[in-house]
Coordinates of all heavy atoms in Angstrom, one line a residue:
T975 N 3.8 1.6 -1.3 CA 4.4 1.8 -2.6 C 3.3 2.3 -3.6 O 3.5 3.2 -4.4 CB 4.9 0.5 -3.2 OG1 5.9 0.0 -2.3 CG2 5.5 0.7 -4.6
L976 N 2.0 1.8 -3.4 CA 0.9 2.3 -4.2 C 0.7 3.7 -4.0 O 0.5 4.5 -5.0 CB -0.3 1.5 -3.9 CG -1.6 1.9 -4.6 CD1 -1.4 1.7 -6.1 CD2 -2.8 1.0 -4.1
L977 N 0.7 4.2 -2.8 CA 0.5 5.6 -2.5 C 1.5 6.4 -3.2 O 1.2 7.5 -3.8 CB 0.5 5.8 -1.0 CG -0.8 5.5 -0.2 CD1 -0.5 5.5 1.3 CD2 -1.9 6.5 -0.5
F978 N 2.8 6.0 -3.1 CA 3.9 6.8 -3.6 C 3.8 6.9 -5.1 O 3.9 8.0 -5.7 CB 5.2 6.2 -3.2 CG 6.4 6.8 -3.9 CD1 6.8 8.1 -3.5 CD2 7.1 6.2 -5.0 CE1 7.9 8.7 -4.1 CE2 8.1 6.8 -5.6 CZ 8.6 8.0 -5.2
L979 N 3.5 5.8 -5.8 CA 3.4 5.8 -7.2 C 2.2 6.6 -7.7 O 2.3 7.3 -8.7 CB 3.3 4.4 -7.8 CG 4.6 3.5 -7.7 CD1 4.3 2.1 -8.1 CD2 5.7 4.1 -8.5
S980 N 1.1 6.5 -7.0 CA -0.1 7.3 -7.4 C 0.2 8.8 -7.3 O -0.2 9.5 -8.2 CB -1.2 6.9 -6.5 OG -1.5 5.6 -6.5
I981 N 0.9 9.2 -6.3 CA 1.2 10.7 -6.2 C 2.2 11.1 -7.2 O 2.1 12.1 -7.9 CB 1.7 11.0 -4.8 CG1 0.5 10.7 -3.8 CG2 2.1 12.4 -4.6 CD1 1.0 10.6 -2.3
L982 N 3.2 10.3 -7.4 CA 4.3 10.6 -8.3 C 3.8 10.7 -9.8 O 4.1 11.7 -10.5 CB 5.4 9.6 -8.2 CG 6.7 9.9 -9.1 CD1 7.3 11.2 -8.7 CD2 7.7 8.7 -8.9
F983 N 3.0 9.7 -10.2 CA 2.7 9.7 -11.6 C 1.2 10.2 -11.9 O 0.8 10.2 -13.0 CB 2.8 8.3 -12.1 CG 4.2 7.8 -12.1 CD1 4.7 6.9 -11.2 CD2 5.1 8.3 -13.1 CE1 6.0 6.4 -11.2 CE2 6.5 7.9 -13.1 CZ 6.9 6.9 -12.2
G984 N 0.5 10.5 -10.8 CA -0.9 11.0 -11.0 C -1.8 9.9 -11.4 O -2.8 10.1 -12.1
L985 N -1.6 8.6 -11.0 CA -2.4 7.5 -11.4 C -3.8 7.7 -10.9 O -4.0 8.1 -9.7 CB -1.9 6.2 -10.9 CG -0.5 5.8 -11.5 CD1 0.0 4.5 -10.8 CD2 -0.5 5.7 -13.0
S986 N -4.8 7.4 -11.6 CA -6.2 7.5 -11.1 C -7.0 6.5 -11.8 O -6.8 6.1 -13.0 CB -6.7 8.9 -11.4 OG -6.7 9.3 -12.7
W987 N -8.1 6.0 -11.2 CA -8.9 5.0 -11.7 C -10.3 5.2 -11.1 O -10.4 5.9 -10.1 CB -8.4 3.6 -11.5 CG -8.1 3.3 -10.1 CD1 -8.9 2.7 -9.2 CD2 -6.9 3.6 -9.4 NE1 -8.3 2.6 -8.0 CE2 -7.1 3.1 -8.0 CE3 -5.7 4.2 -9.7 CZ2 -6.1 3.3 -7.0 CZ3 -4.7 4.4 -8.7 CH2 -5.0 3.9 -7.4
E991 N -9.1 9.5 -6.7 CA -7.7 9.6 -7.0 C -6.9 9.7 -5.7 O -7.3 10.5 -4.8 CB -7.4 10.9 -7.8 CG -5.9 11.1 -8.2 CD -5.7 12.4 -8.9 OE1 -6.6 13.2 -9.1 OE2 -4.5 12.7 -9.3
W992 N -5.8 9.0 -5.6 CA -4.9 9.1 -4.4 C -4.2 10.5 -4.4 O -3.9 11.0 -5.5 CB -3.9 8.0 -4.5 CG -4.4 6.7 -4.0 CD1 -4.7 5.6 -4.7 CD2 -4.6 6.3 -2.6 NE1 -5.1 4.5 -3.9 CE2 -5.1 5.0 -2.6 CE3 -4.5 7.0 -1.4 CZ2 -5.5 4.3 -1.5 CZ3 -4.9 6.3 -0.2 CH2 -5.3 5.0 -0.3
K1166 N 12.8 17.2 -16.9 CA 12.4 15.9 -16.5 C 11.2 15.9 -15.5 O 10.4 15.0 -15.5 CB 13.5 15.2 -15.7 CG 14.0 15.8 -14.5 CD 15.1 15.1 -13.8 CE 15.6 15.7 -12.5 NZ 16.7 14.9 -11.9
W1206 N 0.9 16.0 -21.2 CA 0.6 15.2 -19.9 C 1.7 15.4 -18.9 O 1.4 15.6 -17.7 CB 0.5 13.7 -20.3 CG -0.9 13.3 -20.4 CD1 -1.6 12.9 -21.6 CD2 -1.9 13.2 -19.4 NE1 -2.9 12.6 -21.3 CE2 -3.1 12.7 -20.0 CE3 -1.9 13.4 -18.0 CZ2 -4.3 12.5 -19.2 CZ3 -3.1 13.2 -17.3 CH2 -4.2 12.7 -17.9
K1207 N 2.9 15.4 -19.3 CA 4.0 15.7 -18.4 C 3.9 17.1 -17.8 O 4.1 17.3 -16.6 CB 5.4 15.6 -19.1 CG 5.8 14.1 -19.4 CD 7.2 14.1 -20.0 CE 8.3 14.6 -19.1 NZ 9.6 14.6 -19.8
F1209 N 1.1 18.9 -17.5 CA -0.1 18.9 -16.6 C 0.3 18.4 -15.2 O -0.1 18.9 -14.2 CB -1.2 18.1 -17.2 CG -2.0 18.8 -18.2 CD1 -1.7 20.1 -18.6 CD2 -3.1 18.2 -18.8 CE1 -2.4 20.7 -19.6 CE2 -3.9 18.8 -19.7 CZ -3.5 20.1 -20.2
K1210 N 1.0 17.3 -15.1 CA 1.4 16.7 -13.8 C 2.3 17.7 -13.1 O 2.1 17.9 -11.8 CB 2.2 15.4 -14.1 CG 1.5 14.3 -14.8 CD 0.3 13.7 -14.1 CE -0.4 12.7 -14.9 NZ 0.4 11.5 -15.2
A1211 N 3.2 18.3 -13.8 CA 4.1 19.3 -13.1 C 3.3 20.6 -12.6 O 3.5 21.1 -11.5 CB 5.2 19.7 -14.0
R1213 N 0.0 20.9 -12.0 CA -0.9 20.7 -10.9 C -0.2 20.6 -9.6 O -0.6 21.1 -8.6 CB -1.7 19.4 -11.1 CG -3.0 19.4 -10.3 CD -3.8 18.2 -10.4 NE -3.3 17.1 -9.7 CZ -4.0 16.0 -9.4 NH1 -5.2 15.8 -9.8 NH2 -3.5 15.0 -8.7
T1214 N 1.0 19.9 -9.6 CA 1.8 19.8 -8.3 C 2.2 21.2 -7.9 O 2.1 21.5 -6.7 CB 3.0 18.9 -8.6 OG1 2.6 17.6 -8.9 CG2 3.9 18.9 -7.3
Q1247 N -7.3 8.5 -17.2 CA -7.0 9.4 -16.0 C -7.9 10.6 -16.0 O -7.5 11.7 -15.7 CB -5.5 9.8 -16.0 CG -4.5 8.7 -16.0 CD -3.1 9.2 -15.8 OE1 -2.8 9.9 -14.8 NE2 -2.2 8.8 -16.7
F1250 N -7.9 12.5 -12.7 CA -6.8 13.5 -12.5 C -7.2 14.8 -13.2 O -7.0 15.9 -12.7 CB -5.5 12.9 -13.2 CG -4.4 13.9 -13.2 CD1 -3.5 14.0 -12.2 CD2 -4.3 14.7 -14.4 CE1 -2.4 14.9 -12.3 CE2 -3.3 15.7 -14.4 CZ -2.3 15.8 -13.4

Side-chain angles (χ1 to χ4, degrees):
T975 302
L976 176 61
L977 280 168
F978 173 74
L979 289 175
S980 299
I981 294 164
L982 181 62
F983 295 108
L985 300 177
S986 55
W987 56 92
E991 182 185 1
W992 280 106
K1166 63 180 182 180
W1206 263 109
K1207 286 181 65 178
F1209 279 4
K1210 303 292 179 62
R1213 200 183 79 164
T1214 298
Q1247 296 188 59
F1250 172 92

